[in-house]
Amino acid sequence: MFSVATKPTKYIFVTGGVLSGLGKGITAASIANLLKARGLSVNLQKCDPYLNVDAGLLNPREHGECFVTKDGAETDLDLGHYERFIDEELTQISSLMSGRVLRQVIEDERNGKYEGRSVQIIPQVTSKIQDFIEEAGKGFDVHIVEIGGTVGDYESLSFIEAIREFSMRVGRENCCYVHLVYLPYLGASKETKTKPAQNSVREIRGLGIQPDILMARSEAMPPPSVKTKLSQFCGVGEEAIALLPNARSIYDVPLTLEDEGIADVIAGKLDLQTTKPDLSDWREMVKRATTKYDKKVTIGIVAKYMDNADTYMCVFEALKAAAWWNDVSIDIEWVDATKVDDAVDLSAYDGIVVPGGFGTRGVDGKIKAAQTALQTKLPYLGLCYGLHMAVIAAARLHGVTDASTTEVDPDTTNPVIATMAGQEGKESTGGTMRLGDYDCDLTPGSLAAKVYGSEKIIERHRHRYECNADYVEQYESWGIRAVGRNPQTNLVEVIEGVDHPFFLASQFHPEFKGRPVRAHPMFDGFIKAAIARQK
């Protein structure tokens, strides 16, 4: 939502202390949710201290999924939270990593833009960070900036200094600083301890930033006296302190902050003119998300990155949303792709998902899972790599036993999946994939068209390999058909099973456009098929 700015953009900076993983992204997204519900136009931005230029080459086991924006930026997973909480599509300007800043500063120096001056963290790097932040906030009533990492990290210092200086650039009255801390509980003394939070606030104050708002995370609800103590030792008014115990659902957090009155405190601090908040749709969604339904579906995720659920965050959230909007509970179980063989029974699942991925590990198991789904009419949802596995599975079931992808076997004699034209020899480099939004035309009367309720769709991509056009005419004999194509390139975007209740796979990543307030069509259709299998 955009509005004509008659007043300067207001900026909210979210930092974290004590320890990592507290939920700064959820906190920033929740604040944005509440301000948007008050009629304001809101943008969000993640400033990440990693020296990477973008998140495209980060290990998903360690960092979670790589979220792709509509314009093809490879970003941190927090941007997925941002989009789900404000129901808006963000762009590359909402993701800023240190590597991108430093690269720009060095390029400016090489091009003589500093006119012979020495180049330093202050002011050149911190000023460049501020430039990126200010540019991202243009045209919005409020721009919310999350600073990655934890206060005290060496690599975060330039960002902390940049946002401190930023208040001098735009005026302190246009900046609000939110600090997220942790309150541990000691079972032996039955006490909630505030000292780590006090120390964290002392540290960020030592760097020149006095928090306006304090968010205190904890495992359980602490006693009300905690607010008084935090206020006394941290210099933050009790009305500006929110207690955030573990929630039933991450989507509960905006409602908790609303009950704490934090959005009104922020609006008052920044002199924002707001309307009465409308959270009716959000409350209905949270009610559904936290309901235990009589019916339940069990879904298997056939994958290799099993160390961290964040690796498939968008997939999980899209599945859960589709379940509760179909009035069923959902159990999502890992299926180790490296262990799927003839002895593994997938019939216990109401449906299986093969999500995106790269590399050779677990490929045989994923192919076997797709073959089982084709042979037993088990609902199957393939996402990007899951489409590749489905095509290979179908080909091998129908006599093309050496069918493969050149990603796994560069010398295969039947490369049913191959490198995109013009990208040969660049398979190990970044920035060579088809990224972001692309058009797709769906075949009239196909399952895909029925699921979407449309024959023209736009979805986001992140891949380098494609269905080899030389084999597409054989699909029907393999028991599958190409039912979605890009109108500009004629590349295959969607396949589905012939005479199958639900065997659907896409070259794109529909999970990136999943929203908690409504089920994504592909996931909705998949869950409906899983429910129907039980009848």
Side-chain angles (χ1 to χ4, degrees):
M1 179 171 64
F2 295 87
S3 67
V4 177
T6 56
K7 292 185 177 181
T9 300
K10 306 292 184 174
Y11 298 88
I12 299 173
F13 298 100
V14 179
T15 56
V18 183
L19 48 82
S20 61
L22 291 180
K24 293 189 301 298
I26 298 297
T27 300
S30 297
I31 294 171
N33 176 292
L34 296 179
L35 295 180
K36 181 182 177 183
R38 284 166 165 75
L40 299 170
S41 63
V42 183
N43 194 31
L44 294 108
Q45 183 178 34
K46 174 72 179 285
C47 290
D48 220 319
Y50 295 121
L51 293 178
N52 304 72
V53 173
D54 59 36
L57 299 178
L58 291 178
N59 190 330
R61 287 180 177 174
E62 181 181 352
H63 300 279
E65 74 178 355
C66 175
F67 184 81
V68 178
T69 59
K70 66 179 181 180
D71 57 347
E74 295 177 288
T75 75
D76 180 85
L77 62 80
D78 276 326
L79 268 76
H81 291 313
Y82 300 166
E83 288 205 2
R84 285 188 288 274
F85 274 66
I86 65 171
D87 197 10
E88 302 277 357
E89 291 192 285
L90 303 179
T91 65
Q92 60 85 24
I93 204 168
S94 288
S95 179
L96 181 64
M97 284 190 163
S98 284
R100 185 174 167 202
V101 176
L102 296 175
R103 184 174 69 176
Q104 186 62 59
V105 168
I106 291 170
E107 288 178 356
D108 287 350
E109 188 273 335
R110 291 289 82 190
N111 290 327
K113 292 185 178 180
Y114 296 119
E115 299 179 339
R117 296 190 299 274
S118 58
V119 178
Q120 300 173 279
I121 298 298
I122 302 172
Q124 281 81 14
V125 172
T126 53
S127 293
K128 185 63 67 176
I129 291 171
Q130 293 173 59
D131 292 343
F132 278 113
I133 290 173
E134 191 168 27
E135 181 64 27
K138 286 182 179 178
F140 294 92
D141 296 323
V142 181
H143 182 51
I144 302 174
V145 182
E146 174 195 350
I147 305 299
T150 305
V151 170
D153 295 343
Y154 282 115
E155 57 264 35
S156 298
L157 289 174
S158 58
F159 283 102
I160 297 296
E161 173 61 17
I163 65 173
R164 182 195 71 81
E165 295 175 9
F166 196 79
S167 67
M168 295 184 285
R169 178 187 284 211
V170 302
R172 183 64 174 88
E173 70 279 6
N174 294 318
C175 296
C176 179
Y177 296 96
V178 178
H179 193 52
L180 185 65
V181 294
Y182 183 65
L183 303 177
Y185 177 79
L186 294 184
S189 59
K190 294 181 173 56
E191 287 183 286
T192 297
K193 308 300 289 186
T194 64
K195 186 62 70 176
Q198 294 176 40
N199 289 339
S200 180
V201 172
R202 184 179 298 115
E203 185 158 15
I204 197 168
R205 289 171 71 176
L207 295 172
I209 294 175
Q210 168 61 52
D212 300 298
I213 306 288
L214 202 58
M215 305 282 195
R217 284 278 291 110
S218 59
E219 298 300 307
M221 176 60 77
S225 59
V226 163
K227 278 193 179 185
T228 303
K229 194 170 184 179
L230 286 172
S231 177
Q232 179 181 0
F233 287 99
C234 298
V236 179
E238 288 190 42
E239 76 285 353
I241 299 175
L243 302 180
L244 293 173
N246 286 350
R248 299 171 298 172
S249 163
I250 57 173
Y251 303 118
D252 249 335
V253 177
L255 302 183
T256 300
L257 293 181
E258 181 68 10
D259 292 341
E260 294 270 12
I262 290 299
D264 291 333
V265 173
I266 292 174
K269 158 68 183 167
L270 294 175
D271 191 27
L272 293 166
Q273 303 302 309
T274 63
T275 59
K276 183 178 179 180
D278 180 6
L279 293 166
S280 55
D281 289 346
W282 196 263
R283 291 185 187 278
E284 170 63 20
M285 179 272 294
V286 171
K287 179 181 177 182
R288 287 176 170 272
T290 55
T291 294
K292 186 174 182 180
Y293 297 95
D294 294 333
K295 292 182 179 180
K296 180 179 72 175
V297 292
T298 303
I299 303 300
I301 305 290
V302 184
K304 64 178 180 177
Y305 299 124
M306 302 177 65
D307 309 70
N308 186 350
D310 286 355
T311 304
Y312 304 105
M313 174 67 74
C314 285
V315 176
F316 278 47
E317 293 305 311
L319 284 170
K320 289 188 286 187
W324 68 58
W325 285 109
N326 279 286
D327 300 317
V328 294
S329 296
I330 184 170
D331 278 347
I332 302 174
E333 297 183 4
W334 293 110
V335 181
D336 189 344
T338 65
K339 298 179 180 178
V340 176
D341 54 27
D342 290 332
V344 174
D345 184 11
L346 297 176
S347 64
Y349 300 107
D350 299 308
I352 59 172
V353 178
V354 176
F358 296 91
T360 61
R361 191 168 64 87
V363 163
D364 289 339
K366 294 177 182 179
I367 293 170
K368 181 61 182 177
Q371 289 177 329
T372 299
L374 280 168
Q375 293 172 313
T376 65
K377 308 297 185 183
L378 179 66
Y380 176 93
L381 181 61
L383 309 172
C384 193
Y385 207 44
L387 177 142
H388 298 173
M389 300 298 100
V391 172
I392 295 168
R396 290 185 181 181
L397 280 175
H398 290 82
V400 191
T401 56
D402 61 344
S404 191
T405 165
T406 54
E407 179 175 5
V408 174
D409 181 5
D411 300 319
T412 179
T413 56
N414 278 294
V416 296
I417 304 295
T419 310
M420 287 167 50
Q423 298 299 337
E424 296 86 351
K426 302 179 182 179
E427 289 80 5
S428 297
T429 60
T432 59
M433 293 187 284
R434 192 149 66 107
L435 292 163
D437 278 359
Y438 284 86
D439 297 327
C440 175
D441 290 347
L442 300 175
T443 302
S446 64
L447 172 64
K450 292 175 182 176
V451 162
Y452 272 96
S454 174
E455 294 170 8
K456 292 188 177 296
I457 61 173
I458 300 173
E459 291 282 6
R460 298 184 201 171
H461 295 63
R462 184 181 185 243
H463 63 97
R464 183 176 293 112
Y465 296 83
E466 302 278 358
C467 292
N468 190 332
D470 294 339
Y471 293 84
V472 174
E473 289 186 1
Q474 299 180 48
Y475 281 9
E476 290 275 350
S477 66
W478 297 347
I480 59 174
R481 59 170 65 99
V483 295
R485 290 180 182 267
N486 177 267
Q488 287 79 38
T489 63
N490 206 37
L491 291 169
V492 173
E493 298 279 12
V494 183
I495 68 160
E496 64 186 40
V498 176
D499 191 27
H500 194 292
F502 195 96
F503 190 93
L504 197 59
S506 65
Q507 183 62 86
F508 47 78
H509 288 265
E511 67 271 21
F512 290 147
K513 294 179 75 170
R515 299 288 186 265
V517 292
R518 59 184 176 278
H520 186 283
M522 281 190 70
F523 288 88
D524 181 60
F526 175 66
I527 292 298
K528 280 181 165 63
I531 295 170
R533 180 177 170 80
Q534 297 178 344
K535 296 178 181 178

